[in-house]
Amino acid sequence: MKILENVIANRSLSFIEASSGKSVPVGTLYRSLGLNPVEKGLIFLYNDNQLSSIEVLLNFYGTAHAIAILGQKLHPDFKERLEVEYRPKYIFDPSREELQGYSSREFSETIKIFVKEDYKPEVSIHPDIKILLSTSGTTGVPKLVKLSDESLYKNAVSILQYMPILESDVVPLNVPINFVYGFSIFTTNCMRAGKIVCTDKDIMQKAFWDEMEEYGYSTLGGVPYLYENLNRIGFFRKDSKSLRYMTHTGGVINGELRKTIFNYCHEFEKQFFAQYGQTEAGGRMAYLSTDGLLEEETSIGSPVHGASFEIDPETDELLFFHESICGGYANTLHDLASYEQPKVLRTGDTARRGQNGLYYITGRIKRIMKLFGIRLNLDEVEFILKNELEGNTFVCLNSNDKKIIVLYDNNEIDPQIITETIKNKLRINPQYVRTEHIETFPLSQNGKINYPLLQNLQHENI
């Protein structure tokens, strides 16, 4: 259990419950529930980033159990589908009072866990499976990524080579740990930082900034949409004294916003790390430090320590090599019996390598449309619009290979400027572009723009 061993070794580490200010040192938290360390099975942990969720995670991490970390706000139907399929021995879900087929057992004064009645192991779970994370959103077919302690540890060690974490740092869990990015923030900071603040507040809530003032957060993390919103509310115009550095992943930040963030970092002596990662690789696969923000084009930077990239010469797909790659997927309980780690991860992203050695994502293989025979990358169209139109948020969709649909949420934008920009940059006749103003973009559970939902709505004429 290398992750847990390194967390415990950080003796100055403590966890703070944001709502009450209660502080618990790691030494008393990770074995507070009196679990049997050799007992094997599966636990579903419906996480809300509160102190009790973290306590359950650390306690079970020290046992032979596999832990599926899931969002507590998942739709009840999705939870039920998962539980019927995997039939876990334990379920931690503070949002429910009772659960059919399970008994509620008090493991401490504050923690109750559902225990399956008449539990009988149906599958011998492969010993390398430590963490299971979902990639299929909230309504699709339950699909879990199988991650080992070793792969997670390798990824954490690679990140610690460049991340400037200090023992004095106070780190908010503003990114849910049931997302691989949030889990990566959690593990790396638990290994090096001094205080972890357990909070379920979102950065766009006033309560989050009150907590930041109270606890003095050293770092923030988020996806590009969050930084676009921070820019809109004027965050980058003034200093946040306690803040030392920021990180992002989950998409490429447009060039205009990168300049704004660079200027903010330069003026107020901050650092920013633009990162690229996927659940299948344990979190973060590449990074670009603050100076790289001034690259003319958007870049994901260089692979993390110990990793390498290659580009498939036929498809331009980015290939990733590292010991952090997962052991495959689970669609059923019986899929947990195996763990097969490939040497290469096919990312599904198209990319190119610049003369400067940095890598550039050019789109998703599945986000390619053909407009009257012309191959068009919708991600590239979005990048162009964001860079040309002051970093505003745009979403481009494919209308049956006959039109590009451009959605925007800033009602001050003249839609004619959008079509003119596409015409001038891509030589596409405006009659093949449809613009639609949208009040707010729907977001997925991990805070990214929900493209599948928008595409489905598009088929219903939005």
Side-chain angles (χ1 to χ4, degrees):
M1 299 297 173
K2 292 183 177 177
I3 289 284
L4 187 62
E5 289 171 4
N6 280 273
V7 170
I8 297 169
N10 182 7
R11 296 181 182 280
S12 62
L13 177 65
S14 62
F15 297 86
I16 299 172
E17 188 176 62
S19 57
S20 66
K22 176 184 176 183
S23 179
V24 183
V26 65
T28 59
L29 195 71
Y30 78 95
R31 54 185 177 186
S32 59
L33 303 184
L35 301 177
N36 180 350
V38 298
E39 183 184 11
K40 296 180 181 178
L42 174 65
I43 176 172
F44 274 15
L45 192 167
Y46 290 106
N47 165 64
D48 58 0
N49 272 12
Q50 299 286 16
L51 183 60
S52 56
S53 290
I54 301 305
E55 186 173 359
V56 172
L57 170 62
L58 291 178
N59 271 270
F60 274 88
Y61 207 105
T63 69
H65 290 285
I67 310 166
I69 309 177
L70 304 156
Q72 192 177 104
K73 297 179 180 177
L74 285 174
H75 192 284
D77 292 346
F78 189 75
K79 288 183 178 180
E80 184 179 352
R81 228 169 17 247
L82 277 168
E83 290 158 10
V84 168
E85 180 56 56
Y86 289 94
R87 301 179 286 283
K89 183 172 185 178
Y90 297 104
I91 294 177
F92 176 73
D93 187 356
S95 70
R96 289 187 280 185
E97 293 293 328
E98 57 183 22
L99 195 53
Q100 187 173 3
Y102 287 79
S103 301
S104 179
R105 183 186 301 174
E106 291 187 2
F107 279 73
S108 74
E109 292 182 358
T110 57
I111 292 178
K112 295 179 181 177
I113 300 175
F114 293 109
V115 183
K116 191 170 182 58
E117 299 164 351
D118 301 324
Y119 174 79
K120 294 180 181 177
E122 302 173 60
V123 170
S124 180
I125 298 175
H126 196 284
D128 284 346
I129 300 175
K130 189 70 243 177
I131 296 292
L132 294 158
L133 297 174
S134 174
T135 64
S136 56
T138 59
T139 58
V141 176
K143 182 179 178 181
L144 303 175
V145 176
K146 298 184 284 190
L147 294 159
S148 72
D149 176 63
E150 181 72 17
S151 64
L152 291 165
Y153 175 71
K154 293 293 185 184
N155 188 251
V157 169
S158 294
I159 294 163
L160 291 172
Q161 299 294 316
Y162 66 87
M163 196 60 69
I165 301 172
L166 299 176
E167 186 179 308
S168 57
D169 279 346
V170 181
V171 181
L173 296 182
N174 66 287
V175 181
I177 62 167
N178 45 291
F179 306 135
V180 72
Y181 176 36
F183 189 78
S184 178
I185 290 173
F186 173 75
T187 54
T188 50
N189 281 286
C190 281
M191 291 163 70
R192 290 280 178 81
K195 295 179 180 177
I196 305 292
V197 181
C198 304
T199 179
D200 61 351
K201 301 298 186 299
D202 183 89
I203 279 182
M204 298 310 292
Q205 294 177 279
K206 181 180 180 301
F208 177 86
W209 299 104
D210 291 340
E211 291 176 359
M212 182 167 181
E213 182 72 19
E214 180 178 358
Y215 296 110
Y217 293 155
S218 308
T219 180
L220 293 177
V223 296
Y225 186 61
L226 180 136
Y227 286 103
E228 289 166 6
N229 277 316
L230 287 181
N231 188 32
R232 185 178 298 176
I233 64 175
F235 173 82
F236 298 113
R237 294 177 193 152
K238 62 180 182 180
D239 191 13
S240 295
K241 296 294 184 183
S242 64
L243 190 65
R244 293 198 306 109
Y245 72 97
M246 296 172 287
T247 67
H248 111 282
T249 189
V252 177
I253 291 180
N254 68 79
E256 190 67 26
L257 181 52
R258 285 185 178 211
K259 291 177 186 175
T260 299
I261 295 173
F262 175 87
N263 291 333
Y264 169 79
C265 291
H266 181 73
E267 181 176 358
F268 298 113
E269 298 182 344
K270 315 292 184 188
Q271 287 181 281
F272 188 89
F273 295 91
Q275 299 166 117
Y276 167 79
Q278 294 186 354
T279 305
E280 290 84 349
R284 293 174 260 187
M285 299 152 62
Y287 73 101
L288 187 74
S289 55
T290 313
D291 289 342
L293 294 173
L294 288 185
E295 286 289 316
E296 290 185 1
E297 297 179 63
T298 51
S299 169
I300 60 170
S302 306
V304 297
H305 179 78
S308 63
F309 285 137
E310 290 183 10
I311 296 176
D312 187 312
E314 294 186 0
T315 64
D316 290 341
E317 184 177 12
L318 185 67
L319 310 178
F320 180 68
F321 300 82
H322 194 262
E323 295 173 274
S324 67
I325 296 173
C326 71
Y329 299 98
N331 294 295
T332 70
L333 173 63
H334 293 280
D335 291 334
L336 300 183
S338 63
Y339 186 90
E340 298 175 1
Q341 185 180 33
K343 292 183 179 178
V344 57
L345 174 66
R346 303 192 72 89
T347 65
D349 289 324
T350 56
R352 68 176 182 82
R353 186 174 186 269
Q355 293 183 343
N356 54 8
L358 301 179
Y359 287 83
Y360 299 80
I361 297 295
T362 55
R364 291 287 295 173
I365 287 180
K366 293 182 179 178
R367 290 266 290 157
I368 302 294
M369 69 177 288
K370 281 194 173 182
L371 191 62
F372 301 103
I374 301 172
R375 191 171 180 266
L376 201 60
N377 188 323
L378 293 174
D379 290 322
E380 286 186 332
V381 180
E382 287 182 12
F383 295 156
I384 289 171
L385 290 172
K386 289 180 179 183
N387 287 333
E388 293 294 318
L389 301 177
E390 300 179 344
N392 279 283
T393 303
F394 299 93
V395 168
C396 293
L397 303 174
N398 178 4
S399 179
N400 301 318
D401 284 342
K402 293 179 180 177
K403 280 191 176 185
I404 303 173
I405 298 175
V406 182
L407 305 178
Y408 61 101
D409 62 349
N410 186 347
N411 59 15
E412 295 182 358
I413 294 177
D414 182 350
Q416 189 171 349
I417 294 178
I418 296 174
T419 53
E420 285 297 316
T421 301
I422 292 177
K423 174 187 173 183
N424 294 334
K425 292 290 181 180
L426 299 170
R427 299 181 183 277
I428 294 174
N429 191 313
Q431 68 175 307
Y432 303 123
V433 180
R434 193 176 96 203
T435 58
E436 296 275 354
H437 176 258
I438 187 169
E439 287 299 323
T440 57
F441 287 110
L443 303 180
S444 60
Q445 288 286 318
N446 59 8
K448 299 178 185 178
I449 292 175
N450 193 330
Y451 279 86
L453 177 60
L454 287 170
Q455 189 69 59
N456 289 337
L457 291 173
Q458 182 270 323
H459 288 307
E460 300 170 6
N461 292 324
I462 308 179

